């Protein structure tokens, strides 16, 4: 009786996801190996032999890696500061970090076009104080893309880390201090190791997010393509569905490999075992 | 020690300036009277707000977005609420795997999801754009519905459900008279969070536009490709206000701690 | 007349049996406790009776009616939970009225019965409060009222007092016993606290690993445990392993390592699990033969550890039959290493399995 009851509750959702997500994905992956009536890996050879495609992949990975590293570096101290605040202040700071996350990515990326444009705020400021003579070309470059992505994902890593740091028993820091550690040493030896799993999870979210983001590169990257815009271009503009499927498969493989590696790392580095 | 905290405070201030500054700047730029966006604005005008309503595609795509998000939400709730309940309430073999499947739409790249759906669902079955959007948005809303409701059910003592059963109520009756009233705010929060995810979605919708039909964010993207006037800034301000209101309601309903959990 | 019977019940989870060939019968109007450590199957038994669990095999009947396959919501049993499990979204009044409204009792009767029940549990005036506005003891009384108001055929308690503090626990168990006797309702009560079980029960079933080790009146269990497990559970900390048992009139003669002990009570035969004598630390005597004034059931030993307990001293005595713990009131304590005789009073040494 219980089994049929469970099935009744879970089956509708599962069938829906199977029909509209799992099966299409499997068919897409399958189609890259079975093309024009035979088994083949041609699509992948084609992709990985073309320097232009490889450059797109490389740019995407580079931008995502730098974005992730910067988000970790900036997010960690910020999250630590937030987690040390009184509950009221903490709630306010968290709310201010969550708000951008819930705001449309179109809005958030678009806001940078006003700042980074040739006649934008940044160039105006730099010109007026005489730091530069010619306006900088930032907008529509990988740098602009990176700034947009950091802006997009920094809040994510901050709130993830605050969630982890909140659960670190403050007595642990006091215990470390009582054993002779100064505040900085206690931070290094207690807070940092206990935050590592959160840092890794946050890192995964940022990296995967940057790797697969579409809106921000489309708005800020200009002619510089990344793998997601490349996929879209092949599918919609060029109608090369075979190549698009290959790119989609590559994206999924990279995503899963990263999630798996990071998960393994998180488990290994988790001091709680 | 104090010095260090002050340094950290200053650091945090700059981080927040970076996070929120662009949103403030876009708000100021929306009042620019000229036809190119500038900061600081050269005057004060509401004409770009007016312009939103004069571009008919904004109006139709807004309605499309709202309808798709609402209908998709309802569908996702019908599929997700029973699943969230089963996953929270019962222990059974294969539960972790099922959990992973239900959460996977947020882990799979949106652009891949959109493309595979286009290729093997929409084209294969020759679905109209509206149904395509509905299906796609339901898929991406499902994990949010399930996660938020499950986190609400995590605080629910299932002995209460057994109490109701022992007093004579059947399973279904118990669910509606005892379980539902106690996770009501979690469900509303789930619906609102899923709504925002759906309404703001670009990655999937971008594959599902048709002649004269697109969603609001897609329409915004199309507009900025050809125009650099402050209309988008004005829209952004309205969207941010809308987001702030929904976020406030979510905070009232279940606090914001959900967002810090991974 | 047995009112509640469990026959050859088996319950399994993940292919592991929690209960197997389980039998129990309870008389009408009495309160029976299931007592045992966690994992002994007492809660499983209770949840099976309530209908939250299905029996894999066996039969459960009440008043001659087979309930084995009756779903929980058709059983009309009252269940009181460890966590109280009050409906958080309903007032005290609506909590208690919940079961009556499901039974389509008319409004006036609902009102009358709810108010009467709240009166019985001393909660008149609390009708409009919500569960979170009540103390733990008040919540538990609402839970009891809610279970009782439907006039259940059977009342079930799952560790109802374990979330309360010590003083309240004593008051509440008196209360539970009073209400149960007033209404004469058959009750099954689960707890791991022996004092709690003994104080309120007509009968206690001591359980271990899915088996009832002993089912008796509380005073009988307290004085005459049948098995080593039961003896240990209720504070018989000293055991002697015997090789054989012989009856000599009223006296039971027990042999071990060339020594003979005599006892008067105990049903241990040593057929399955071995034969042991059990005795409480308070019942053992220490002294010289003259001080003790007996010439049997004596064992020489040496004081190993002595601990001051306030009212008495506790000694661990090392003997050739193992170590024994003895409580003794005295002015001048024995010192470690001192030779003493341990006396096992004949009426206090209980033979167990």
């Amino acid at each position: 009786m219980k089994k049929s009851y469970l099935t009744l509750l879970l089956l509708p959702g599962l069938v829906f996801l199977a029909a509209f997500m799992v099966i299409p994905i499997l068919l897409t992956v399958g189609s890259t190996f079975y093309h024009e009536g035979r088994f083949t890996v041609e699509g992948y050879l084609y992709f990985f032999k073309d320097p232009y495609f490889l450059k797109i992949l490389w740019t995407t990975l580079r931008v995502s890696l730098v974005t992730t590293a910067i988000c970790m570096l900036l997010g960690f101290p910020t999250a630590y500061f937030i987690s040390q605040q009184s509950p009221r202040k903490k709630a306010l700071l968290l709310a201010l970090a969550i708000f951008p996350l819930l705001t449309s990515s179109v809005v958030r990326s678009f806001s940078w076009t006003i700042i980074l444009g040739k006649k934008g705020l940044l160039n105006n400021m730099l010109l007026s104080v005489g730091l530069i003579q010619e306006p900088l070309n930032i907008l529509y470059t990988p740098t602009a893309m990176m700034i947009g992505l950091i802006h997009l994902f920094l809040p994510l890593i901050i709130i993830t880390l605050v969630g982890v740091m909140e659960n670190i028993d403050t007595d642990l820091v006091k215990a470390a201090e009582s054993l002779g550690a100064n505040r900085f040493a206690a931070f290094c030896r207690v807070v940092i190791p206990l935050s590592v799993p959160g840092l890794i999870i946050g890192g995964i979210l940022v990296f995967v997010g940057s790797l697969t983001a579409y809106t921000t590169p489309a708005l800020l990257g200009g002619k510089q393509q990344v793998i997601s815009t490349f996929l879209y271009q092949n599918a919609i503009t060029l109608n090369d569905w075979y190549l698009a499927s290959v790119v989609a498969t590559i994206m999924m493989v990279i995503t899963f490999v990263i999630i798996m590696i990071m998960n393994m790392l998180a488990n290994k580095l988790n001091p709680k075992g | 020690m104090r010095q260090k905290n002050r340094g950290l405070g200053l650091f945090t201030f700059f981080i927040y300036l970076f996070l929120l500054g662009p949103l403030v700047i876009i708000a100021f730029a929306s009042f620019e009277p000229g036809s190119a966006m500038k900061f600081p604005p050269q005057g004060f005008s509401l004409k770009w707000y007016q312009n939103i309503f004069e571009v008919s595609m904004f109006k139709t795509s807004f309605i499309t977005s709202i309808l798709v998000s609402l209908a998709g939400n309802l569908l996702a709730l019908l599929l997700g609420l029973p699943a969230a309940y089963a996953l929270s309430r019962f222990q059974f073999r294969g539960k972790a795997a099922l959990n992973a499947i239900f959460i996977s739409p947020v882990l799979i790249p949106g652009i891949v999801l959109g493309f595979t759906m286009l290729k093997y669902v929409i084209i294969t079955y020759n679905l109209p754009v509206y149904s395509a959007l509905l299906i796609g948005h339901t898929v991406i809303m499902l994990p949010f519905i399930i996660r938020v409701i499950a986190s609400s059910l995590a605080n629910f003592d299932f002995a209460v459900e057994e109490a109701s059963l022992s007093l004579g109520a059947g399973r279904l009756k118990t669910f509606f008279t005892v379980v539902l009233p106690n996770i009501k705010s979690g469900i509303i929060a789930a619906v609102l969070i899923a709504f925002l995810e759906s309404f703001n979605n670009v990655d999937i919708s971008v594959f599902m536009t048709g002649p004269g039909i697109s969603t609001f964010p897609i329409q915004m993207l199309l507009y900025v490709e050809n125009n650099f006037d402050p209309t988008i800034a004005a829209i952004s301000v309205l969207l941010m206000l809308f987001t702030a209101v929904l976020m406030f309601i979510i905070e009232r309903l279940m606090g914001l701690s959900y967002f810090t959990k991974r | 007349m047995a009112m509640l019977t469990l026959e050859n019940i088996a319950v399994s989870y993940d292919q592991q049996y929690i209960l197997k060939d389980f039998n129990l019968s309870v008389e009408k109007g009495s309160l029976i406790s299931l007592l045992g450590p966690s994992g002994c199957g007492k809660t499983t038994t209770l949840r099976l009776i309530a209908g939250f669990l299905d029996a894999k095999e066996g039969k459960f009947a009440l008043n001659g009616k087979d309930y084995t396959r009756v779903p929980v919501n058709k059983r009309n049993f009252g269940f009181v939970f460890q966590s109280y499990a009050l409906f958080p979204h309903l007032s005290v009044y609506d909590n208690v009225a919940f079961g009556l409204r499901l039974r389509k009792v008319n409004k006036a009767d609902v009102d009358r019965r709810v108010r009467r029940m709240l009166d019985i549990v001393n909660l008149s005036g609390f009708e409009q409060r919500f569960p979170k506005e009540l103390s733990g003891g008040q919540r538990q009384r609402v839970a009891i009222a809610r279970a009782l108001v439907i006039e259940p055929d059977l009342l079930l308690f799952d560790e109802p007092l374990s979330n309360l503090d010590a003083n309240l626990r004593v008051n509440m168990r008196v209360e539970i016993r009073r209400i149960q006797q007033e209404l004469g309702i058959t009750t099954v009560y689960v707890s791991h606290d022996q004092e709690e079980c003994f104080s309120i029960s007509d009968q206690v079933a001591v359980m271990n690993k899915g088996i009832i080790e002993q089912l008796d009146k509380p005073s009988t269990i307290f004085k005459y445990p049948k098995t080593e497990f039961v003896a240990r559970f209720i504070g018989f900390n000293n055991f002697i392993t015997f090789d054989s048992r012989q009856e000599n009139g009223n006296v039971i003669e027990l042999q071990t390592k060339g020594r003979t002990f005599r006892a008067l009570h105990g049903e241990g035969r040593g057929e399955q699990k071995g034969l042991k004598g059990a005795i409480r630390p308070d019942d053992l005597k220490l002294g010289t033969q003259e001080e003790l004034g007996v010439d049997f059931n004596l064992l020489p030993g040496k004081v190993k550890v002595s601990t001051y307990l306030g009212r008495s001293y506790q000694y661990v005595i090392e003997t050739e039959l193992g170590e024994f713990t003895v409580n003794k009131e005295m002015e001048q304590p024995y010192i470690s290493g001192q030779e003493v005789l341990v006396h096992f009073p004949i009426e206090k040494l209980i033979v167990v399995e």
Side-chain angles (χ1 to χ4, degrees), chain C residues 64-119:
Chain C
K65 185 186 168 198
D66 185 353
Y67 272 90
T68 319
R69 300 282 162 224
V70 177
V72 46
N73 52 317
K74 301 267 190 283
R75 289 196 179 190
N76 198 42
F77 297 168
F79 198 104
V80 181
F81 294 83
Q82 182 172 8
S83 64
Y84 321 131
L86 298 182
F87 305 125
H89 62 299
L90 297 180
S91 65
V92 167
Y93 184 96
D94 290 334
N95 260 281
V96 179
F98 189 89
L100 293 176
R101 288 180 181 148
L102 281 168
R103 283 162 180 72
K104 309 259 187 285
V105 175
N106 73 50
K107 220 176 161 198
D109 281 347
V110 170
D111 193 61
R112 189 177 49 76
R113 284 166 71 177
V114 170
R115 288 187 194 283
R116 182 177 151 253
M117 200 43 74
L118 286 175
D119 192 43

Side-chain angles (χ1 to χ4, degrees), chain A residues 5 14 20-21 28 31 81-82 93 95 102 104 110-111 121 151 156 159-160 183 205 212 214 241 245, chain B residues 1 9 12 15-16 18-19 22 25 37 39 98 104 109 111 116-117 119-120 123 171 200 224 247 259 262:
Chain A
Y5 187 58
L14 279 177
F20 301 125
M21 183 185 80
T28 303
S31 75
F81 179 79
I82 295 173
L93 287 170
L102 295 177
S104 162
F110 178 73
S111 65
L121 177 66
H151 186 239
L156 196 61
I159 61 172
T160 306
R183 193 137 188 203
L205 295 172
T212 61
Y214 173 81
W241 283 32
S245 300
Chain B
M1 182 171 110
T12 305
I15 293 292
Y16 274 83
F18 169 73
L19 289 181
I25 288 170
M37 238 175 311
F39 183 85
L98 280 179
S104 61
I111 204 93
T116 56
M117 251 186 250
K119 193 174 167 195
Y120 286 105
I123 305 241
R171 283 223 165 256
N200 291 334
V224 293
M247 190 175 131
F259 294 98
R262 289 282 169 260

Side-chain angles (χ1 to χ4, degrees), chain C residues 29 31 116-123 141 144-145 148 155 157 170-185 187 189 199-202:
Chain C
L31 192 157
R116 182 177 151 253
M117 200 43 74
L118 286 175
D119 192 43
I120 289 179
V121 298
N122 294 326
L123 276 178
R141 279 184 279 160
I144 293 169
L148 281 172
L155 189 55
F157 286 93
V170 174
N171 292 339
M172 276 306 293
R173 74 187 189 211
V174 174
E175 193 95 325
I176 288 176
R177 183 57 164 161
R178 172 182 69 80
I179 295 167
Q180 188 264 336
Q181 286 186 328
E182 228 170 80
L183 302 175
I185 181 166
T187 303
Y189 189 102
S199 67
I200 67 169
S201 310
D202 296 308

Side-chain angles (χ1 to χ4, degrees), chain B residues 238-250:
Chain B
L238 297 184
L239 281 185
M240 285 192 280
L241 284 176
F242 179 63
T243 307
V245 170
L246 288 196
M247 190 175 131
F248 179 75
I249 300 172
I250 294 167

Side-chain angles (χ1 to χ4, degrees), chain C residues 212-230:
Chain C
I212 294 182
E213 297 254 342
Q214 186 170 2
L215 172 63
D216 260 318
K217 285 196 301 209
S219 57
T220 310
I221 291 185
F222 193 76
K223 279 194 221 143
Y224 309 119
K226 279 185 186 160
T227 67
E228 182 186 353
F229 175 83
V230 176

Side-chain angles (χ1 to χ4, degrees), chain B residues 157 162 165 167 169 177 182, chain C residues 47 73 77 83 89 103 146:
Chain B
D157 178 8
E162 293 185 332
L165 290 172
L167 289 168
T177 55
N182 283 301
Chain C
R47 294 175 62 80
N73 52 317
F77 297 168
S83 64
H89 62 299
R103 283 162 180 72
R146 185 180 67 177

